[in-house]
């Protein structure tokens, strides 16, 4: 019962971040299909759903990433499966970060078993990470990308 309560607490903590998201504004861009993820088109999606403090960067191997904040929580998007210039990518992983001290490994394992579309884990520094990966193979509607990110935040 204690594990169930902790799992509910984890889901509730994740849902609190979603409550701070602004209601997305429908735009003409919502009907367009993205054949790949770029820093530019993902930043546009984040802006449309009310993300704050959006910053992008590149790590030493060329991998592109985007940091943003919403509702007092930090998020990270990493672009994967990219072309040789790392500017056009087929994969996108969004991650949220939490204080992990209140969650046991068993709670995390139960969460992973209950929500197969994402995963959660505790990093060596004690930070709890929840993540979701999705792809743009054969195109993905821009509105679907918005929904994927918002649904992840509301987990």
């Amino acid at each position: 019962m204690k594990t169930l309560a902790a799992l509910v607490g984890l889901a509730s903590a994740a849902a609190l971040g979603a409550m701070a998201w602004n209601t997305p504004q429908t735009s003409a861009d919502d009907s367009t299909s993205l054949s790949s993820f770029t820093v530019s088109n993902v930043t546009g999606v984040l802006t449309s759903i009310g993300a704050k403090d959006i910053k992008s960067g590149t790590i030493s191997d060329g991998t592109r990433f985007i940091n943003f904040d919403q509702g007092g929580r930090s998020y990270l998007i990493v672009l994967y499966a990219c072309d040789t210039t790392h500017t056009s990518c087929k994969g996108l992983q969004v991650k949220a970060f939490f204080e992990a001290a209140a969650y046991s490994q068993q709670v995390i394992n139960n969460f992973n078993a209950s929500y197969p579309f994402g995963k959660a884990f505790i990093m060596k520094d004690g930070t709890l990470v929840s993540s979701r990966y999705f792809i743009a193979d054969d195109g993905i509607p821009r509105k679907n990308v918005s929904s994927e990110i918002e649904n992840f935040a509301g987990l």
Side-chain angles (χ1 to χ4, degrees):
M1 190 60 147
K2 217 175 196 183
T3 301
L4 178 60
L7 184 58
V8 169
L10 178 61
S12 297
L16 287 175
M19 293 181 351
W21 287 80
N22 296 333
T23 302
Q25 301 298 314
T26 302
S27 71
D29 290 336
D30 285 343
S31 64
T32 60
S33 182
L34 304 179
S35 59
S36 65
F37 299 117
T38 67
V39 168
S40 178
N41 66 24
V42 173
T43 298
V45 168
L46 293 172
T47 300
S48 76
I49 62 174
K52 307 292 183 211
D53 300 320
I54 303 168
K55 298 176 183 119
S56 63
T58 306
I59 59 175
S60 61
D61 70 354
T63 300
R64 309 301 285 287
F65 66 89
I66 304 166
N67 287 314
F68 64 99
D69 293 332
Q70 194 62 41
R73 180 168 295 127
S74 296
Y75 293 86
L76 171 68
I77 290 179
V78 181
L79 303 179
Y80 289 105
C82 303
D83 62 12
T84 57
T85 64
H86 294 278
T87 56
S88 178
C89 307
K90 295 293 185 181
L92 183 152
Q93 186 174 36
V94 60
K95 299 178 181 184
F97 302 92
F98 306 86
E99 292 297 325
Y103 305 106
S104 70
Q105 190 61 52
Q106 184 60 44
V107 169
I108 303 303
N109 290 343
N110 289 343
F111 177 85
N112 288 331
S114 299
Y115 298 98
F117 48 81
K119 65 181 174 182
F121 59 93
I122 299 174
M123 296 185 347
K124 288 182 183 179
D125 71 358
T127 302
L128 173 61
V129 180
S130 178
S131 70
R132 170 123 168 90
Y133 187 88
F134 49 101
I135 61 172
D137 290 353
D138 300 317
I140 183 171
R142 185 181 187 280
K143 181 62 179 165
N144 194 53
V145 177
S146 298
S147 294
E148 289 277 1
I149 294 170
E150 288 183 303
N151 288 335
F152 171 76
L155 193 65

